[in-house]
Amino acid sequence: MPGTVLLLAASPAGKGRLVDAASVLPVLAAVPPGVLAGTGTANVVELADPLDPQAVLTRLRAAAVSPGPLTLFVTGQLQLDRRQHLPHLALARSTPATVRYNGLPWHWMREELRLRPPGSASLVLDLHADAESWQWLRSHPLDCGRTVAVHGRIAPPPSRRAVAGPAYMKAVATLLRSGHRPPLDQLHQRALSRIAPEGGAGVDIVLSAHSPVPADPHADIAAAAQAGRHTDAEALAARHENTAVHTHGPASEEALHWAEVRADLAMLAGDPVRSCRSWLTVASSRLSAGQAPDAPAVEAAVDRAHHQWGRIHDPAPVRELGAVLVELRSRVPGRREGALDDVRRRLRRPAVPGQDRAGDARVHTVCPAGPDPVRSTASAPPG
């Protein structure tokens, strides 16, 4: 099965830049797609110094639902947002004061990859941390999710005002240019050996974690969904949700987790009404349990409900779920200006044939793809 590769290199454009992340892309681009993916054929998407976190999320979401093996090569720098002190991948316009709004929250990465079957997704990371992020990382490991294999390093802030190079990722790319991709743990160790003379490997946080091998209910559910057995996947998730509700209570984190899994499964099955309804319920449950409107799990639930609502074309559920979404958006505006106004505009429009699809387009303009440079290539099979 063809693989999918996402090459993401991002760092601020101004004086806050710690690493010249995009400088590694020409080296990675010289590697054949199949070698990058570790498969015979592969699709490669490249994001070079993107401006908009929603554009990155769109590419990440598309990659996450690809059926074959997935490898993400991510180069850049970490910053904490000043409100919640959560790690973000800084993008071209990010500053310490604005990264919450124009950086990529790291938990988006984890959330988009959580339904991947164990062993089907790998992260190769070369990250630099600013001083605040480096201090945070001493007591908070970077969470990439339970099903993803992770290899790489996080470098500390430079001791002087200088822009570092992505030495680890360049070593990975140079090794791959030989035309062979060894197992990622071996590739990781060879890359660390190459940068050791530069002194990086001695002070970096080294990331090396395999996806779990033991039986995991998420693996069975994800495998069923990937195979198109959506009814089986939904039944398995519903069974686990019922168990969590009876064991821990309907508002417990365990029960809400399985409700979120079912909402994702509805999206994968092409049922935006059920998915939107489920995400609205999750968001309301989290708010009723006392979670803050800007808590990541609350924002994510409302954003996903909004996204799925934008894919509904039947006027009746558009009106029904839109009314609930307006109420939630007034409490949870999210990170993107204009989201609440977008819902109200669509609800005001008369329900005549053809206009729901236009409304769908307007919903997506709240999260535009932007003018980010993207390279998308597909390698052909030999012969």
Side-chain angles (χ1 to χ4, degrees):
M1 185 175 291
T4 298
V5 176
L6 178 63
L7 308 178
L8 171 57
S11 54
K15 61 182 181 180
R17 172 175 289 198
L18 301 179
V19 58
D20 183 10
S23 65
V24 75
L25 289 177
V27 191
L28 283 170
V31 179
V35 176
L36 286 171
T39 58
T41 61
N43 300 313
V44 176
V45 176
E46 178 182 303
L47 291 172
D49 279 330
L51 304 176
D52 184 1
Q54 296 293 339
V56 180
L57 178 61
T58 298
R59 305 294 175 178
L60 175 61
R61 184 168 286 160
V65 299
S66 61
L70 170 64
T71 308
L72 292 87
F73 295 86
V74 181
T75 308
Q77 70 186 64
L78 293 176
Q79 291 180 335
L80 299 185
D81 74 281
R82 290 183 172 175
R83 179 179 297 183
Q84 294 176 303
H85 300 285
L86 295 176
H88 289 60
L89 184 71
L91 302 184
R93 294 173 178 164
S94 298
T95 67
T98 65
V99 70
R100 170 175 167 79
Y101 304 101
N102 55 23
L104 182 77
W106 192 260
H107 60 266
W108 286 8
M109 186 91 65
R110 181 190 66 236
E111 289 295 312
E112 293 303 324
L113 298 176
R114 66 179 177 173
L115 276 185
R116 296 287 307 189
S120 70
S122 302
L123 273 172
V124 182
L125 305 177
D126 189 354
L127 303 174
H128 285 64
D130 64 8
E132 189 178 9
S133 300
W134 186 253
Q135 189 65 32
W136 183 88
L137 288 165
R138 292 179 179 273
S139 54
H140 300 83
L142 194 66
D143 185 2
C144 300
R146 72 180 84 192
T147 63
V148 181
V150 181
H151 298 285
R153 62 98 181 240
I154 305 175
S159 57
R160 60 185 184 278
R161 294 189 64 85
V163 177
Y168 172 85
M169 194 65 77
K170 284 186 176 179
V172 167
T174 301
L175 290 165
L176 290 176
R177 288 184 68 178
S178 67
H180 169 65
R181 180 175 128 166
L184 283 182
D185 54 348
Q186 295 180 23
L187 179 65
H188 169 65
Q189 291 300 327
R190 293 177 189 174
L192 289 179
S193 298
R194 287 204 170 204
I195 67 173
E198 302 177 22
V203 296
D204 297 345
I205 296 174
V206 175
L207 306 170
S208 186
H210 295 275
S211 57
V213 176
D216 182 347
H218 298 81
D220 295 335
I221 292 168
Q226 293 280 355
R229 294 184 289 108
H230 299 293
T231 301
D232 293 343
E234 163 63 19
L236 283 170
R239 190 183 311 157
H240 286 287
E241 183 183 7
N242 289 335
T243 300
V245 168
H246 290 303
T247 304
H248 304 284
S252 65
E253 196 60 40
E254 291 83 358
L256 290 173
H257 165 75
W258 286 109
E260 291 174 342
V261 170
R262 295 181 69 188
D264 276 340
L265 290 173
M267 179 269 293
L268 291 173
D271 189 344
V273 173
R274 181 160 58 91
S275 182
C276 176
R277 195 184 306 276
S278 298
W279 281 118
L280 290 171
T281 300
V282 168
S284 297
S285 298
R286 290 191 177 279
L287 288 169
S288 298
Q291 296 187 25
D294 63 350
V298 176
E299 284 189 340
V302 178
D303 287 346
R304 289 176 179 229
H306 193 158
H307 181 265
Q308 290 300 297
W309 182 74
R311 294 178 175 271
I312 300 171
H313 303 305
D314 185 347
V318 166
R319 290 192 300 269
E320 174 203 351
L321 299 177
V324 181
L325 184 57
V326 164
E327 193 276 330
L328 278 174
R329 270 296 183 210
S330 66
R331 301 172 64 189
V332 186
R335 299 170 181 241
R336 195 77 180 182
E337 292 185 6
L340 176 59
D341 290 339
D342 173 81
V343 182
R344 287 173 170 164
R345 277 196 303 270
R346 187 182 182 195
L347 288 175
R348 284 197 299 265
R349 298 176 66 248
V352 297
Q355 284 199 343
D356 287 311
R357 186 169 298 276
D360 179 38
R362 264 194 276 276
V363 168
H364 287 291
T365 60
V366 176
C367 305
D372 304 311
V374 176
R375 175 177 70 96
S376 182
T377 62
S379 65

